[in-house]
Each structure stands twice: as structure tokens, then as C-alpha cells.
């Protein structure tokens, strides 16, 4: 985000058109859901609260090679193991975005569920 413009002004300029928008054809008028593919957006919704473009302390969770990566705008990515992924909500609150604590925990749970795949038992009977 630029130091010369406020976050609200930046959002009003880019909310309708930017490269990350994925507009859905379903729904009528304002019922329609507009999604985004920003890397620093926890919920993938296009809204001022969750936008990673306009906020200086934006937070993102992604699945990396070693586990869940917590990315903070303006800082290097820190890798958090999957076992401690559910505690990242408190870590986000310490970094400055207390309003994203619930969204961060939900995203961490979804990523943890993806990494801990259950194995299937073989269907073949031993002879």
C-alpha cells in the first residue's frame, strides 16, 4: 500500500476491477459472490476487510513443502509445522490483525485437513 493514500481510498479505486477478481455468474445483483485469488487473502472473498492488496499488515496462509506457511505483508514467510497450524490465529493477532483470528484458524484447519490424508485399506483379501 502506498503511504500517500489511505487504505479506504485504494479499496474504492480497485474494488470493481483488478487482476485478482473472479466474478461469478450465479446470483442476482448484490446476491452474487465475487471471489479473489490474492495470496494474502484468507477467505478468498473480495472485501475491504480481507483484502491483501490495500492493508499494510495483510496475512496469508498457504500450503508449502514443509507445512503451512504464514505470510505477512512486508516480511519474509515463516514456516509453521502442521501440528501447530491451529495456533496461528493467536500468532496473527500478535502481528496486528486481531479481526482475522477466526478466519485464520478456519483456513489453517482446512489446510491441515488437506495434509493429513487418511490411507485406505486394501480391498484385496489375502489368500
Amino acid at each position: 500500500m502506498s503511504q500517500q493514500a489511505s487504505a479506504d481510498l485504494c479499496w474504492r479505486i480497485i474494488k470493481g476491477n483488478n487482476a485478482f477478481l473472479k466474478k461469478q455468474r450465479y446470483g442476482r445483483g448484490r446476491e452474487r459472490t465475487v471471489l479473489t485469488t490474492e495470496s494474502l487473502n484468507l477467505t478468498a472473498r473480495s472485501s475491504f476487510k480481507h483484502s491483501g492488496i490495500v492493508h499494510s499488515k495483510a496475512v496469508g496462509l498457504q500450503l508449502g513443502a514443509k507445512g503451512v506457511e504464514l505470510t505477512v505483508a512486508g516480511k519474509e514467510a515463516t514456516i509453521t509445522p502442521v501440528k501447530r497450524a491451529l495456533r496461528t490465529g493467536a500468532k496473527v493477532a500478535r502481528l496486528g490483525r486481531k479481526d482475522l483470528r477466526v478466519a485464520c484458524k478456519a483456513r489453517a484447519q482446512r489446510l491441515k485437513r488437506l495434509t493429513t490424508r487418511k490411507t485406505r485399506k486394501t480391498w484385496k483379501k489375502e489368500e
Side-chain angles (χ1 to χ4, degrees), residues 12-76:
R12 287 177 185 254
I13 292 171
I14 67 166
K15 74 177 179 179
N17 294 319
N18 65 43
F20 299 107
L21 285 181
K22 299 292 180 192
K23 294 184 179 179
Q24 302 291 319
R25 290 182 180 246
Y26 305 107
R28 299 182 312 249
R30 296 194 184 262
E31 295 175 7
R32 170 175 72 186
T33 303
V34 180
L35 302 175
T36 183
T37 59
E38 299 172 31
S39 62
L40 296 177
N41 191 330
L42 293 172
T43 60
R45 289 189 191 136
S46 181
S47 67
F48 177 71
K49 177 181 178 181
H50 301 290
S51 178
I53 299 173
V54 297
H55 290 293
S56 60
K57 293 184 178 180
V59 177
L61 282 174
Q62 295 177 347
L63 194 59
K66 294 183 180 179
V68 179
E69 291 184 8
L70 174 67
T71 309
V72 180
K75 295 182 181 180
E76 295 181 14

Side-chain angles (χ1 to χ4, degrees), residues 72-84:
V72 180
K75 295 182 181 180
E76 295 181 14
T78 58
I79 298 174
T80 306
V82 176
K83 292 178 183 176
R84 294 185 292 162

